[in-house]
Amino acid sequence: MTRSDWQHPIGDELYERAKRVIPGGIYGHQSPVYLVDGAFPRFLCEAEGCRVRDADGHEYVDFLCSYGPMVLGYRDAVVEAAAERQRRLCDSGNLPAPNMVELAEKLVSITAGADWAMFAKNGSDVCTWALAVARRATRRDLVAMVEGTYHGVHGWCNPARRGFPDGERSGIVTFPWNDAGALEELFRKYDGRIAGVIATPFRHEARHDSVMPGEGFLQAIRELSTRHSAVMISDDVRAGFRLSLAGSMHHFGVTPDMTVYSKAIANGYPLSVMLGSDALRKAAEDVFVTGTFFTQAVPIAAAIATIGEIEKRSAIEHMDRVGRRLCGGLTARARAAGLAVTISGPPSIPFLSFVADEGRLERSRTFAAVAASHGAFFHPAHNWFVSAAHQDADIDFALDAAEAAMAAVAREHGKDAR
Ligand code: PMP
């Protein structure tokens, strides 16, 4: 079988079975409709380091990292050993395990602006929880968010809205990314009512190029929040642990009042955390939020090991370096193929789009499909991630796949005028 003939009969059959017993077959962000249906695998069976293997046995160098969590690479030996040690003691319990305190202390010691930590499972959990803390602390009803930003699936921010009444969004007001003047206007219009402002450190919406914060934008959110006694919340669920261990807002020179993390915190184990400043401690205590699995000890052990290894291996610097190698290589190969591309986002969380697509993602889909058939897993519409497990040789392998994919794009869609 040549690589370009990759078929997925086992995965296709599983998908047919799934559709009979699971609405949509595979739902949410993992639905095949968001990849290139028919050209991509639908199920993964194994993963190690930066490589994943699908249900039909094809192997890929992976640039999605499970949508972010795999910051050290799949099945990292140190993290797995720590998780296994804790698994032998206790995972879900009547009471938290002592390691909850250890992780909270660690996070408080490294995160800019954080004096306390509370744990949950998903990014959605802690985004919603942070809004409740801000409202309780200020006794105000509204929260400002950037229009169109993804903060999870709860009613106040669910992007599809279907099934969630408009009333659930009644406490939300929005302003455009990189428009501090619009936020200032919101503070004027809703004088004394805005409890907090929630924002991601850079804009990374699916189907769009990533947009870095403009000069002074995050600083303006900080300054306006302080001036109006509102709480600045950093949603660092996606970018966290890839730009700075002190938080991605810190990387951009800003200290928020609250930071929420999930994804990469425990290298794939389910955990999220809400961190906040002393001024919000009482409000955090007042708000009643809990979950049966929120303090599970195995993910907490994995998080302690993950953060320790990120520090020990200088993983952030490594990801930045291999990310730059990837982005530079993609730029060169696109140019050689006669294609105009945009590479956006930080090098460790990059995204590539084709200028001539004008947002339609047609070339992106061709690119991702052909790259997959050459053994590189690039998402056509969602930002990518690199991990500490990606080495130069993996990047170079993926660049060869990308070269074949660029050639296919030029063949199918034409070259761009120079
Ligand atoms: N906020 C951001 C910025 C995210 O990227 C995500 C997940 N993609 C979430 C919140 C929601 O996290 P989860 O899927 O764990 O609920």
Side-chain angles (χ1 to χ4, degrees):
M1 190 197 299
T2 65
R3 284 184 166 276
S4 55
D5 290 332
W6 279 12
Q7 308 281 316
H8 308 94
I10 297 172
D12 293 348
E13 157 68 13
L14 266 171
Y15 187 49
E16 290 311 310
R17 280 170 54 197
K19 281 194 281 194
R20 275 177 233 129
V21 288
I22 299 166
I26 304 173
Y27 53 93
H29 68 294
Q30 293 177 326
S31 166
V33 305
Y34 295 120
L35 285 157
V36 188
D37 203 10
F40 259 76
R42 294 186 169 114
F43 293 89
L44 295 180
C45 288
E46 275 181 70
E48 175 129 34
C50 66
R51 291 181 186 252
V52 297
R53 190 185 296 273
D54 72 24
D56 288 270
H58 308 306
E59 192 176 280
Y60 308 82
V61 174
D62 176 37
F63 290 94
L64 200 49
C65 294
S66 184
Y67 285 82
M70 312 315 304
V71 66
L72 296 173
Y74 295 90
R75 289 171 55 207
D76 179 80
V78 176
V79 176
E80 292 311 308
E84 188 50 36
R85 267 195 307 279
Q86 184 59 45
R87 206 182 337 263
R88 275 189 245 116
L89 299 172
C90 183
D91 186 12
S92 299
N94 301 346
L95 303 169
N99 67 4
M100 179 178 81
V101 184
E102 191 187 333
L103 180 58
E105 285 171 348
K106 179 68 185 171
L107 287 164
V108 164
S109 76
I110 62 175
T111 311
D115 298 304
W116 52 262
M118 295 172 93
F119 300 99
K121 282 288 123 188
N122 295 296
S124 299
D125 297 339
V126 282
C127 285
T128 298
W129 200 355
L131 265 52
V133 170
R135 287 184 169 120
R136 172 67 187 173
T138 57
R139 306 297 205 269
R140 297 174 182 174
D141 61 338
L142 300 179
V143 171
M145 66 174 265
V146 173
E147 216 169 280
T149 294
Y150 187 73
H151 293 296
V153 291
H154 290 180
W156 62 272
C157 59
N158 188 292
R161 299 185 178 216
R162 297 181 293 273
F164 296 94
D166 286 345
E168 294 199 31
R169 315 175 84 86
S170 62
I172 300 295
V173 292
T174 63
F175 62 104
W177 176 254
N178 272 342
D179 190 344
L183 177 61
E184 190 164 12
E185 185 51 40
L186 285 180
F187 273 114
R188 220 184 339 263
K189 182 170 171 190
Y190 300 103
D191 187 28
R193 285 185 61 192
I194 297 182
V197 184
I198 185 168
T200 54
F202 69 95
R203 193 157 160 74
H204 45 47
E205 290 342 294
R207 304 182 59 86
H208 296 280
D209 293 333
S210 293
V211 188
M212 301 310 269
E215 183 75 30
F217 175 60
L218 298 177
Q219 285 76 4
I221 296 181
R222 174 66 284 173
E223 200 270 316
L224 286 166
S225 301
T226 304
R227 194 187 325 152
H228 295 276
S229 305
V231 178
M232 180 179 180
I233 303 162
S234 170
D235 176 356
D236 214 356
V237 167
R238 192 172 317 179
F241 302 96
R242 277 193 172 78
L243 300 179
S244 164
L245 271 184
S248 304
M249 287 285 183
H250 177 80
H251 173 78
F252 292 114
V254 167
T255 304
D257 301 302
M258 300 185 80
T259 297
V260 294
Y261 285 126
S262 184
K263 289 198 186 282
I265 189 170
N267 203 48
Y269 283 85
L271 186 68
S272 60
V273 66
M274 168 178 71
L275 296 143
S277 67
D278 258 334
L280 299 167
R281 186 186 296 266
K282 177 69 173 66
E285 212 178 309
D286 286 352
V287 171
F288 183 73
V289 178
T290 191
T292 303
F293 297 115
F294 276 11
T295 62
Q296 263 181 321
V298 167
I300 287 177
I304 294 168
T306 300
I307 295 167
E309 289 305 301
I310 291 173
E311 284 173 333
K312 235 188 258 170
R313 297 181 205 173
S314 301
I316 290 176
E317 293 75 10
H318 175 89
M319 288 186 281
D320 183 68
R321 192 184 64 71
V322 291
R324 282 176 198 279
R325 187 179 183 95
L326 175 68
C327 295
L330 288 167
T331 304
R333 277 151 180 87
R335 195 176 306 124
L339 298 167
V341 298
T342 303
I343 296 181
S344 57
S348 56
I349 315 173
F351 184 59
L352 174 142
S353 69
F354 292 86
V355 174
D357 263 353
E358 294 176 341
R360 292 185 306 274
L361 300 174
E362 290 154 353
R363 289 162 186 79
S364 294
R365 274 191 283 270
T366 302
F367 172 79
V370 177
S373 75
H374 284 74
F377 199 119
F378 292 116
H379 199 295
H382 189 282
N383 68 254
W384 309 337
F385 301 87
V386 297
S387 75
H390 287 87
Q391 304 302 333
D392 288 351
D394 304 307
I395 302 294
D396 295 345
F397 174 88
L399 287 172
D400 286 346
E403 188 170 317
M406 297 274 185
V409 171
R411 250 190 338 269
E412 276 179 38
H413 303 274
K415 295 187 183 198
D416 293 313
R418 302 224 170 193

